[in-house]
């Protein structure tokens, strides 16, 4: 995408599904992808379902709405790395909603930030990741509003076993946005399951 700064994707159908995940690497070459997607489907984002590899050097703007597993860059991430990305889009869904990744099963998210409002109508909303099952989040920040009925966090809505077993590691990250939830709310982690 040399010489291209912005790509207007409109109502973009995500790359990768739960039956046919995206496996491989994608370098966005610092292009801004503008997405205007309103769907009732699961696995929404630039990449709906990401298997493993590296996604890097891109940003997302616009609005992305879906059901479960909704993120600007990846809805559901099995593994792999996401590096040097940021989100300005409004992201909305029911469960597992994140500024960068909706659900992170494994792998890393590094050098990323979110300045788009995030809302989970039910559970797990995070400025960077909605649900962190296993992995690392490094050098990230959130400066937008995070809302959920249950489990809202400035960085992660839910982090599984991050303190006891070190299954998850969050380092050099902060949130300066308003975080609101009816239960389980935190500036960095909404709910940490031990």
């Amino acid at each position: 995408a040399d010489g291209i700064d912005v790509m207007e994707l409109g109502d973009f159908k995500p790359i990768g599904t739960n039956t046919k995940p995206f496996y491989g690497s994608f370098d966005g070459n610092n292009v801004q992808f503008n997405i205007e997607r309103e769907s009732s489907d699961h696995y929404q984002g630039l990449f709906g379902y990401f298997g493993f590899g590296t996604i890097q050097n891109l940003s997302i703007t616009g609005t992305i709405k879906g059901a479960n597993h909704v993120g600007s860059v990846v809805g559901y991430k099995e593994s792999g790395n996401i590096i040097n990305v940021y989100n300005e889009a409004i992201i909305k869904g029911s469960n597992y909603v994140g500024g960068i990744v909706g659900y992170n099963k494994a792998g890393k998210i590094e050098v990323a930030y979110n300045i788009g409002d995030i809302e989970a109508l039910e559970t797990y909303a995070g400025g960077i990741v909605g649900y962190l099952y296993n992995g690392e989040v490094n050098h990230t920040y959130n400066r937008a509003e995070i809302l959920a009925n249950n489990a809202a966090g400035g960085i992660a809505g839910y982090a599984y076993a991050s303190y006891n077993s070190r299954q998850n590691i969050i380092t050099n990250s902060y949130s300066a946005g308003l975080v609101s939830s009816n239960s389980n709310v935190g500036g960095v982690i909404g709910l940490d399951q031990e």
Side-chain angles (χ1 to χ4, degrees):
D2 286 337
I4 298 173
D5 296 323
V6 178
M7 291 189 80
E8 298 290 343
L9 299 181
D11 186 12
F12 183 77
K13 186 175 180 181
I15 301 166
T17 65
N18 60 323
T19 56
K20 293 184 179 179
F22 175 80
Y23 294 104
S25 294
F26 181 86
D27 189 330
N29 201 23
N30 300 310
V31 171
Q32 181 182 88
F33 296 94
N34 187 47
I35 300 172
E36 296 295 338
R37 175 90 170 155
E38 188 164 344
S39 173
S40 59
D41 295 336
H42 304 306
Y43 310 112
Q44 296 298 306
L46 180 63
F47 293 84
Y49 202 108
F50 175 49
F52 61 83
T54 299
I55 297 171
Q56 62 186 347
N57 304 325
L58 60 89
S59 62
I60 307 293
T61 59
T63 302
I64 301 173
K65 296 179 182 178
N68 298 335
H69 307 104
V70 184
S72 70
V73 180
V74 174
Y76 186 100
K77 182 165 96 60
E78 282 185 6
S79 187
N81 301 310
I82 296 178
I83 304 167
N84 192 34
V85 300
Y86 69 88
N87 175 58
E88 295 182 6
I90 294 169
I91 311 294
K92 291 186 178 182
S94 295
N95 299 287
Y96 314 113
V97 184
I100 304 298
V101 175
Y103 188 108
N104 192 92
K105 186 175 180 184
K108 295 181 181 180
I109 303 168
E110 296 183 304
V111 189
Y113 70 85
N114 174 64
I115 55 173
D117 290 346
I118 311 300
E119 182 178 2
L121 297 174
E122 295 177 30
T123 58
Y124 313 125
I128 300 300
V129 56
Y131 191 107
L132 183 62
Y133 179 75
N134 193 342
E136 295 182 27
V137 176
N138 304 314
H139 302 288
T140 66
Y141 70 84
N142 168 65
R143 287 189 178 170
E145 185 173 9
I146 313 300
L147 299 173
N149 186 47
N150 178 34
I155 299 298
Y158 180 98
Y160 183 82
S162 58
Y163 294 115
N164 284 352
S165 66
R166 299 269 182 192
Q167 182 168 324
N168 290 302
I169 298 172
I170 298 174
T171 59
N172 299 309
S173 297
Y174 76 90
S175 178
L178 176 65
V179 183
S180 302
S181 178
N182 290 325
S183 60
N184 299 308
V185 61
V188 175
I189 298 171
L191 175 62
D192 177 38
Q193 184 66 44
E194 297 182 11

